[in-house]
Amino acid sequence: MSAEKLLSQLLAKSPLFPNNLGSVLRVFEDTLVLDAFRKMIEHKVISLPIVKHTDGTVVEIITMLDVVNYFISIFKEEELLSFSDKVIAEKQEIAKTTVTQIKLEATEPIITADEDQTMFEVAKLLISKKVRRVIIVNKQNELVNLVSASRLMELLSVDVDKHPNAKKTISELGLATKEVFTIEDKAIAREAFKMMVEKKVRGVAIVDKDGKLVGNLSGNDIKVLGYDLKYFGMLAATNSVYLDELRRCDPQRTVADTADPVRCSGNATFGEVIALIHRNRVHRVYVVDENQKPIGVVSIFDVLEKLLE
């Protein structure tokens, strides 16, 4: 069955989305920033819709990157290095700042779809707007579901060998040369996260002094800060130290995610890249040359777009 046919048979309110929890997490306009961050950590998500108390409509989306960007803006480096509940308590501003009062620079635009639209229509909308998620609402504009790029990828990766582009190389398909944003492994970790916000990208490649790919940092990697407040000090560490700590405190994270990020050559087939994304549960595969220098990146959006052509 083709991807289009499969998704055309599903409605946006399908219980297949967004996950096995069967519910959509959310916060309200008056939720404190710190509480929102802790909720993301507790439920292992990197963003939350912000809804109105009155009618349940979605007004914004807050991400982990937004929260950390806010913390970086109000805490001095020495405060981050000794970050604790005591440091937070001394900063009166944070105790009363709500999710709608901070600058949501890393936030994607809110894209909604009706619950009775097909999943194919939702997928095309997600791809065209280049957003991680589409919010599904009912006739009263209330949040009823959330469709993510990751869940779509998981669903469509089945029987990918039957896709007409499966055996073509990513170079043939024009997927191997998208610009890669890089930062050296000896640079400070907070600069990598600031780069994501400034460049409006979801991940940056970590390279050594020779330009070789040695790591990857994405917005999802901020979750380490929630394991213990002392980890906020890692924002003042180098990227290489941050990645090492990330691997140490998150044993479920694979080597491919950190020290050896997911990569391929320009001669990799479309099917092989899909398998890499699905198997490693990542949002991007770096394209490297013979010297292991990144020359491109294939994102989950690139793959979904090709799958649905």
Side-chain angles (χ1 to χ4, degrees), residues 189-231:
R190 69 170 177 272
E191 296 304 318
F193 292 119
K194 284 172 66 177
M195 179 183 286
M196 292 179 214
V197 175
E198 291 167 2
K199 301 295 185 182
K200 299 190 182 301
V201 294
R202 300 175 178 88
V204 294
I206 310 301
V207 297
D208 65 14
K209 60 182 177 59
D210 298 316
K212 292 182 179 180
L213 182 65
V214 296
N216 169 73
L217 270 180
S218 71
N220 192 45
D221 297 321
I222 292 173
K223 66 182 179 181
V224 66
L225 305 180
Y227 296 148
D228 193 314
L229 290 179
K230 68 180 182 183
Y231 286 128

Side-chain angles (χ1 to χ4, degrees), residues 135-148:
I135 293 169
I136 310 303
V137 298
N138 59 20
K139 295 295 187 285
Q140 290 72 46
N141 209 34
E142 297 169 326
L143 174 66
V144 297
N145 209 347
L146 187 150
V147 177
S148 69

Side-chain angles (χ1 to χ4, degrees), residues 296-309:
V297 59
V298 182
S299 74
I300 194 170
F301 298 104
D302 300 323
V303 170
L304 287 172
E305 187 170 20
K306 285 294 179 186
L307 282 172
L308 296 176
E309 276 185 348

Side-chain angles (χ1 to χ4, degrees), residues 121-158:
E121 292 173 311
V122 173
K124 295 294 281 187
L125 183 61
L126 180 146
I127 293 165
S128 67
K129 300 296 183 181
K130 292 290 191 293
V131 292
R132 281 182 181 268
R133 63 198 68 76
V134 173
I135 293 169
I136 310 303
V137 298
N138 59 20
K139 295 295 187 285
Q140 290 72 46
N141 209 34
E142 297 169 326
L143 174 66
V144 297
N145 209 347
L146 187 150
V147 177
S148 69
S150 297
R151 187 67 183 93
L152 282 170
M153 189 71 212
E154 186 178 347
L155 187 66
L156 297 179
S157 60
V158 180

Side-chain angles (χ1 to χ4, degrees), residues 20-271:
N20 293 330
L21 294 176
S23 62
V24 181
L25 299 168
R26 66 201 77 188
V27 291
F28 295 97
E29 293 174 292
D30 58 355
T31 300
L32 295 177
V33 173
L34 197 59
D35 290 339
F37 180 68
R38 286 172 171 158
K39 188 168 188 174
M40 291 183 213
I41 295 300
E42 178 187 352
H43 295 280
K44 298 181 179 179
V45 296
I46 60 172
S47 63
L48 290 167
I50 303 172
V51 301
K52 290 183 178 180
H53 272 294
T54 52
D55 57 14
T57 58
V58 179
V59 294
E60 279 284 8
I61 295 174
I62 185 169
T63 70
M64 279 192 179
L65 202 51
D66 289 316
V67 176
V68 171
N69 201 42
Y70 167 64
F71 286 162
I72 290 173
S73 72
I74 65 170
F75 289 105
K76 298 175 182 177
E77 184 170 322
E78 56 268 26
E79 291 175 319
L80 289 174
L81 287 169
S82 59
F83 208 66
S84 64
D85 286 318
K86 182 172 181 280
V87 172
I88 292 175
E90 291 172 350
K91 190 75 69 172
Q92 296 182 356
E93 174 188 344
I94 200 172
K96 57 185 180 182
T97 302
T98 67
V99 291
T100 54
Q101 292 176 323
I102 68 172
K103 215 171 177 183
L104 302 177
E105 293 181 274
T107 299
E108 300 172 340
I110 297 174
I111 305 298
T112 62
D114 187 88
E115 63 179 344
D116 291 321
Q117 286 184 260
T118 68
M119 200 59 72
F120 178 71
E121 292 173 311
V122 173
K124 295 294 281 187
L125 183 61
L126 180 146
I127 293 165
S128 67
K129 300 296 183 181
K130 292 290 191 293
V131 292
R132 281 182 181 268
R133 63 198 68 76
V134 173
I135 293 169
I136 310 303
V137 298
N138 59 20
K139 295 295 187 285
Q140 290 72 46
N141 209 34
E142 297 169 326
L143 174 66
V144 297
N145 209 347
L146 187 150
V147 177
S148 69
S150 297
R151 187 67 183 93
L152 282 170
M153 189 71 212
E154 186 178 347
L155 187 66
L156 297 179
S157 60
V158 180
D159 293 330
V160 73
D161 288 340
K162 297 177 183 177
H163 192 276
N165 286 328
K167 301 301 181 184
K168 293 181 180 178
T169 69
I170 54 174
S171 293
E172 289 179 287
L173 296 171
L175 297 177
T177 56
K178 183 186 289 185
E179 182 180 8
V180 184
F181 291 97
T182 64
I183 187 168
E184 283 199 18
D185 55 354
K186 300 305 180 187
I188 302 303
R190 69 170 177 272
E191 296 304 318
F193 292 119
K194 284 172 66 177
M195 179 183 286
M196 292 179 214
V197 175
E198 291 167 2
K199 301 295 185 182
K200 299 190 182 301
V201 294
R202 300 175 178 88
V204 294
I206 310 301
V207 297
D208 65 14
K209 60 182 177 59
D210 298 316
K212 292 182 179 180
L213 182 65
V214 296
N216 169 73
L217 270 180
S218 71
N220 192 45
D221 297 321
I222 292 173
K223 66 182 179 181
V224 66
L225 305 180
Y227 296 148
D228 193 314
L229 290 179
K230 68 180 182 183
Y231 286 128
F232 269 87
M234 297 303 297
L235 289 171
T238 64
N239 289 312
S240 57
V241 171
Y242 188 98
L243 286 172
D244 287 343
E245 187 63 24
L246 185 63
R247 185 194 300 168
R248 188 193 68 76
C249 70
D250 189 356
Q252 294 184 343
R253 192 171 171 80
T254 66
V255 173
D257 288 318
T258 50
D260 189 17
V262 182
R263 67 187 78 195
C264 69
S265 74
N267 292 322
T269 67
F270 184 57

